[in-house]
Amino acid sequence: QGTIVKDVTLKEDAPKNFLMSKHIEYIANYGANKEDYEYCMTEYLRLSGIYWGLTAVDLMHCRDRMNENEIVEFVVSCQKDCGGFGPAPDHDPSILYTLSAIQVLCMLDKVEKIDVEKAVDFIGGLQNEDGSFSGDEWGEVDTRFSFCAVTALSLVGRLWENCPINVAKTVEFILSCMNFDGGFGCRPGSESHSGQIYCCVGALSVLGELHHVDDDLLGWWLCERQLPSGGLNGRPEKMPDVCYSWWLSSLAMLGKLHWIDGSKLKQFILASQDDEIGGIADRPGDMVDPFHTLFGIAGLSLLGETCLKPINPVYCMPQDVLDRIGVKAQILP
């Protein structure tokens, strides 16, 4: 018996053009009603949600649609005494939201509004003896947190000068998560997954250590994630999902983005748009959300959509922001 391919069929009447004005309205209006059920139930994601929305509208040249003063005030209110950030003022701090806070403030050029030294100390305090990072005080270890630590420190200029982490151990742990197929998992021995690969390859890119990656082997594993619909999955035998249009930016870091069919991927992303209210879903016909809207737009930027700002494949931020603050990462030719 052959492998059953799990995929979707794109409908003939699915959107074929990028509905930018609708997406701008969708993002700008999301959360306008603070009493909305969905808004209230996603408080635990609030800071990341601000990052998704702000990045999306910035890529669409419409950052002025966001209330920047309100955003800065909210981000500042999420920093705890320990230096880390929670997703909202009454939530515990985590390295995930600490990165989101720093990314948002870098885009708004307002990093000085927070206590950077405390944030740096918080990140450094989450590194373990083996070089791995915990996400918070409860101790869960995941390569996502290695990426968050390295990326956040680089954005505030503390990765090389007065660095609070052991960089050599950081690299050692990430490499211990490399698998026989060239991919990476969340911990040593965990299966390869496109999201974890993005985190590990991204961290190595920021650290200038991409020579450790078997780029041809990993490149093949990644390009085999493309299904007949054009969409990408995160692991073999899984359904395609718009968010992997971004996680596959690992191919861009490896200089192999041309190994997938970009036109078919674009067609899949466009088919996942809601042509009435705007926004992008995980796959055609599903409900839209800010997470998939950003990563669909980011994927289109990566594929060269001319109406969007260029995006940096490592930081998932507009390239002009990184140029302004002087942050670079290693990209293979």
Side-chain angles (χ1 to χ4, degrees), residues 294-330:
L294 167 62
F295 292 122
I297 291 171
L300 291 173
S301 174
L302 205 62
L303 293 169
E305 178 63 51
T306 55
C307 67
L308 296 170
K309 283 187 179 182
I311 193 165
N312 183 279
V314 181
Y315 290 86
C316 196
M317 294 165 65
Q319 183 60 49
D320 63 353
V321 173
L322 297 167
D323 291 342
R324 171 168 51 78
I325 62 179
V327 171
K328 294 181 179 180
Q330 180 186 17

Side-chain angles (χ1 to χ4, degrees), residues 240-301:
D241 188 314
V242 160
C243 71
Y244 294 115
S245 309
W246 172 253
W247 306 128
L248 264 289
S249 59
S250 303
L251 282 172
M253 299 181 219
L254 300 176
K256 292 176 168 39
L257 191 58
H258 59 286
W259 281 21
I260 60 168
D261 188 328
S263 60
K264 289 197 72 173
L265 174 56
K266 181 177 179 179
Q267 186 180 22
F268 175 80
I269 298 171
L270 295 177
S272 302
Q273 300 175 109
D274 188 314
D275 56 7
E276 292 184 12
I277 66 169
I280 302 176
D282 58 348
R283 56 187 66 93
D286 285 358
M287 287 285 290
V288 301
D289 61 73
F291 174 87
H292 289 93
T293 300
L294 167 62
F295 292 122
I297 291 171
L300 291 173
S301 174

Side-chain angles (χ1 to χ4, degrees), residues 5-11 227-231 239-240 268 272 283-284:
V5 177
K6 297 178 180 178
D7 200 2
V8 297
T9 301
L10 304 188
K11 294 182 178 178
L227 299 170
S229 66
M239 292 286 283
F268 175 80
S272 302
R283 56 187 66 93

